[in-house]
mmCIF file with all atom_site columns, all heavy atoms in Angstrom:
data_model
loop_
_atom_site.group_PDB
_atom_site.id
_atom_site.type_symbol
_atom_site.label_atom_id
_atom_site.label_alt_id
_atom_site.label_comp_id
_atom_site.label_asym_id
_atom_site.label_entity_id
_atom_site.label_seq_id
_atom_site.pdbx_PDB_ins_code
_atom_site.Cartn_x
_atom_site.Cartn_y
_atom_site.Cartn_z
_atom_site.occupancy
_atom_site.B_iso_or_equiv
_atom_site.pdbx_formal_charge
_atom_site.auth_seq_id
_atom_site.auth_comp_id
_atom_site.auth_asym_id
_atom_site.auth_atom_id
_atom_site.pdbx_PDB_model_num
ATOM 1  N N   . SER E 1 15  ? -12.662 28.642 2.366   1.00 0.00 ? 15  SER E N   1
ATOM 2  C CA  . SER E 1 15  ? -12.350 27.538 1.452   1.00 0.00 ? 15  SER E CA  1
ATOM 3  C C   . SER E 1 15  ? -11.647 26.392 2.175   1.00 0.00 ? 15  SER E C   1
ATOM 4  O O   . SER E 1 15  ? -11.901 25.222 1.890   1.00 0.00 ? 15  SER E O   1
ATOM 5  C CB  . SER E 1 15  ? -11.487 28.029 0.284   1.00 0.00 ? 15  SER E CB  1
ATOM 6  O OG  . SER E 1 15  ? -10.173 28.329 0.709   1.00 0.00 ? 15  SER E OG  1
ATOM 7  N N   . ALA E 1 58  ? 6.915   28.902 6.318   1.00 0.00 ? 58  ALA E N   1
ATOM 8  C CA  . ALA E 1 58  ? 7.200   27.777 7.203   1.00 0.00 ? 58  ALA E CA  1
ATOM 9  C C   . ALA E 1 58  ? 6.532   26.507 6.693   1.00 0.00 ? 58  ALA E C   1
ATOM 10 O O   . ALA E 1 58  ? 7.110   25.416 6.746   1.00 0.00 ? 58  ALA E O   1
ATOM 11 C CB  . ALA E 1 58  ? 6.730   28.100 8.619   1.00 0.00 ? 58  ALA E CB  1
ATOM 12 N N   . GLU E 1 66  ? 3.894   16.482 0.753   1.00 0.00 ? 66  GLU E N   1
ATOM 13 C CA  . GLU E 1 66  ? 3.982   16.127 -0.669  1.00 0.00 ? 66  GLU E CA  1
ATOM 14 C C   . GLU E 1 66  ? 3.131   17.054 -1.531  1.00 0.00 ? 66  GLU E C   1
ATOM 15 O O   . GLU E 1 66  ? 3.409   17.250 -2.709  1.00 0.00 ? 66  GLU E O   1
ATOM 16 C CB  . GLU E 1 66  ? 3.511   14.683 -0.855  1.00 0.00 ? 66  GLU E CB  1
ATOM 17 C CG  . GLU E 1 66  ? 3.588   14.155 -2.267  1.00 0.00 ? 66  GLU E CG  1
ATOM 18 C CD  . GLU E 1 66  ? 3.155   12.706 -2.382  1.00 0.00 ? 66  GLU E CD  1
ATOM 19 O OE1 . GLU E 1 66  ? 2.951   12.048 -1.334  1.00 0.00 ? 66  GLU E OE1 1
ATOM 20 O OE2 . GLU E 1 66  ? 3.023   12.219 -3.529  1.00 0.00 ? 66  GLU E OE2 1
ATOM 21 N N   . ASP E 1 127 ? -20.375 19.812 -9.218  1.00 0.00 ? 127 ASP E N   1
ATOM 22 C CA  . ASP E 1 127 ? -21.716 20.145 -8.746  1.00 0.00 ? 127 ASP E CA  1
ATOM 23 C C   . ASP E 1 127 ? -22.742 19.260 -9.448  1.00 0.00 ? 127 ASP E C   1
ATOM 24 O O   . ASP E 1 127 ? -22.595 18.935 -10.635 1.00 0.00 ? 127 ASP E O   1
ATOM 25 C CB  . ASP E 1 127 ? -22.053 21.610 -9.049  1.00 0.00 ? 127 ASP E CB  1
ATOM 26 C CG  . ASP E 1 127 ? -21.462 22.576 -8.049  1.00 0.00 ? 127 ASP E CG  1
ATOM 27 O OD1 . ASP E 1 127 ? -20.942 22.121 -7.010  1.00 0.00 ? 127 ASP E OD1 1
ATOM 28 O OD2 . ASP E 1 127 ? -21.512 23.791 -8.298  1.00 0.00 ? 127 ASP E OD2 1
ATOM 29 N N   . TYR E 1 130 ? -24.340 21.151 -12.631 1.00 0.00 ? 130 TYR E N   1
ATOM 30 C CA  . TYR E 1 130 ? -23.473 21.190 -13.804 1.00 0.00 ? 130 TYR E CA  1
ATOM 31 C C   . TYR E 1 130 ? -23.309 19.808 -14.435 1.00 0.00 ? 130 TYR E C   1
ATOM 32 O O   . TYR E 1 130 ? -23.278 19.663 -15.667 1.00 0.00 ? 130 TYR E O   1
ATOM 33 C CB  . TYR E 1 130 ? -22.101 21.755 -13.428 1.00 0.00 ? 130 TYR E CB  1
ATOM 34 C CG  . TYR E 1 130 ? -21.062 21.526 -14.501 1.00 0.00 ? 130 TYR E CG  1
ATOM 35 C CD1 . TYR E 1 130 ? -21.093 22.249 -15.680 1.00 0.00 ? 130 TYR E CD1 1
ATOM 36 C CD2 . TYR E 1 130 ? -20.072 20.558 -14.342 1.00 0.00 ? 130 TYR E CD2 1
ATOM 37 C CE1 . TYR E 1 130 ? -20.155 22.021 -16.676 1.00 0.00 ? 130 TYR E CE1 1
ATOM 38 C CE2 . TYR E 1 130 ? -19.141 20.317 -15.326 1.00 0.00 ? 130 TYR E CE2 1
ATOM 39 C CZ  . TYR E 1 130 ? -19.181 21.055 -16.497 1.00 0.00 ? 130 TYR E CZ  1
ATOM 40 O OH  . TYR E 1 130 ? -18.264 20.809 -17.476 1.00 0.00 ? 130 TYR E OH  1
ATOM 41 N N   . HIS E 1 151 ? -25.821 31.311 -15.574 1.00 0.00 ? 151 HIS E N   1
ATOM 42 C CA  . HIS E 1 151 ? -25.910 32.406 -14.602 1.00 0.00 ? 151 HIS E CA  1
ATOM 43 C C   . HIS E 1 151 ? -25.264 31.992 -13.282 1.00 0.00 ? 151 HIS E C   1
ATOM 44 O O   . HIS E 1 151 ? -25.356 30.836 -12.867 1.00 0.00 ? 151 HIS E O   1
ATOM 45 C CB  . HIS E 1 151 ? -27.369 32.751 -14.300 1.00 0.00 ? 151 HIS E CB  1
ATOM 46 C CG  . HIS E 1 151 ? -28.046 33.559 -15.347 1.00 0.00 ? 151 HIS E CG  1
ATOM 47 N ND1 . HIS E 1 151 ? -28.356 34.888 -15.192 1.00 0.00 ? 151 HIS E ND1 1
ATOM 48 C CD2 . HIS E 1 151 ? -28.483 33.215 -16.580 1.00 0.00 ? 151 HIS E CD2 1
ATOM 49 C CE1 . HIS E 1 151 ? -28.957 35.330 -16.283 1.00 0.00 ? 151 HIS E CE1 1
ATOM 50 N NE2 . HIS E 1 151 ? -29.050 34.330 -17.139 1.00 0.00 ? 151 HIS E NE2 1
ATOM 51 N N   . ILE E 1 189 ? -17.262 21.964 -21.443 1.00 0.00 ? 189 ILE E N   1
ATOM 52 C CA  . ILE E 1 189 ? -18.267 21.352 -22.315 1.00 0.00 ? 189 ILE E CA  1
ATOM 53 C C   . ILE E 1 189 ? -18.023 21.675 -23.788 1.00 0.00 ? 189 ILE E C   1
ATOM 54 O O   . ILE E 1 189 ? -18.072 20.789 -24.644 1.00 0.00 ? 189 ILE E O   1
ATOM 55 C CB  . ILE E 1 189 ? -19.687 21.805 -21.926 1.00 0.00 ? 189 ILE E CB  1
ATOM 56 C CG1 . ILE E 1 189 ? -20.024 21.396 -20.488 1.00 0.00 ? 189 ILE E CG1 1
ATOM 57 C CG2 . ILE E 1 189 ? -20.727 21.214 -22.885 1.00 0.00 ? 189 ILE E CG2 1
ATOM 58 C CD1 . ILE E 1 189 ? -21.386 21.889 -20.012 1.00 0.00 ? 189 ILE E CD1 1
ATOM 59 N N   . GLY E 1 191 ? -15.328 23.739 -25.214 1.00 0.00 ? 191 GLY E N   1
ATOM 60 C CA  . GLY E 1 191 ? -13.993 24.079 -25.695 1.00 0.00 ? 191 GLY E CA  1
ATOM 61 C C   . GLY E 1 191 ? -13.778 25.585 -25.762 1.00 0.00 ? 191 GLY E C   1
ATOM 62 O O   . GLY E 1 191 ? -14.648 26.379 -25.400 1.00 0.00 ? 191 GLY E O   1
ATOM 63 N N   . GLY E 1 243 ? -31.173 23.700 -28.364 1.00 0.00 ? 243 GLY E N   1
ATOM 64 C CA  . GLY E 1 243 ? -30.568 23.003 -29.489 1.00 0.00 ? 243 GLY E CA  1
ATOM 65 C C   . GLY E 1 243 ? -31.568 22.786 -30.603 1.00 0.00 ? 243 GLY E C   1
ATOM 66 O O   . GLY E 1 243 ? -32.730 23.211 -30.508 1.00 0.00 ? 243 GLY E O   1
ATOM 67 N N   . THR E 1 322 ? -6.136  20.502 -15.283 1.00 0.00 ? 322 THR E N   1
ATOM 68 C CA  . THR E 1 322 ? -4.762  20.874 -15.572 1.00 0.00 ? 322 THR E CA  1
ATOM 69 C C   . THR E 1 322 ? -4.531  22.371 -15.424 1.00 0.00 ? 322 THR E C   1
ATOM 70 O O   . THR E 1 322 ? -5.466  23.178 -15.503 1.00 0.00 ? 322 THR E O   1
ATOM 71 C CB  . THR E 1 322 ? -4.369  20.451 -16.990 1.00 0.00 ? 322 THR E CB  1
ATOM 72 O OG1 . THR E 1 322 ? -5.115  21.252 -17.936 1.00 0.00 ? 322 THR E OG1 1
ATOM 73 C CG2 . THR E 1 322 ? -4.639  18.983 -17.228 1.00 0.00 ? 322 THR E CG2 1
ATOM 74 N N   . LEU E 1 327 ? -5.299  28.094 -17.140 1.00 0.00 ? 327 LEU E N   1
ATOM 75 C CA  . LEU E 1 327 ? -4.739  29.210 -17.907 1.00 0.00 ? 327 LEU E CA  1
ATOM 76 C C   . LEU E 1 327 ? -5.712  29.682 -18.983 1.00 0.00 ? 327 LEU E C   1
ATOM 77 O O   . LEU E 1 327 ? -5.822  30.887 -19.242 1.00 0.00 ? 327 LEU E O   1
ATOM 78 C CB  . LEU E 1 327 ? -3.407  28.777 -18.522 1.00 0.00 ? 327 LEU E CB  1
ATOM 79 C CG  . LEU E 1 327 ? -2.596  29.819 -19.289 1.00 0.00 ? 327 LEU E CG  1
ATOM 80 C CD1 . LEU E 1 327 ? -2.324  31.051 -18.441 1.00 0.00 ? 327 LEU E CD1 1
ATOM 81 C CD2 . LEU E 1 327 ? -1.280  29.191 -19.756 1.00 0.00 ? 327 LEU E CD2 1
#
Side-chain angles (χ1 to χ4, degrees):
S15 71
E66 182 178 351
D127 279 350
Y130 167 73
H151 282 253
I189 299 177
T322 68
L327 184 55

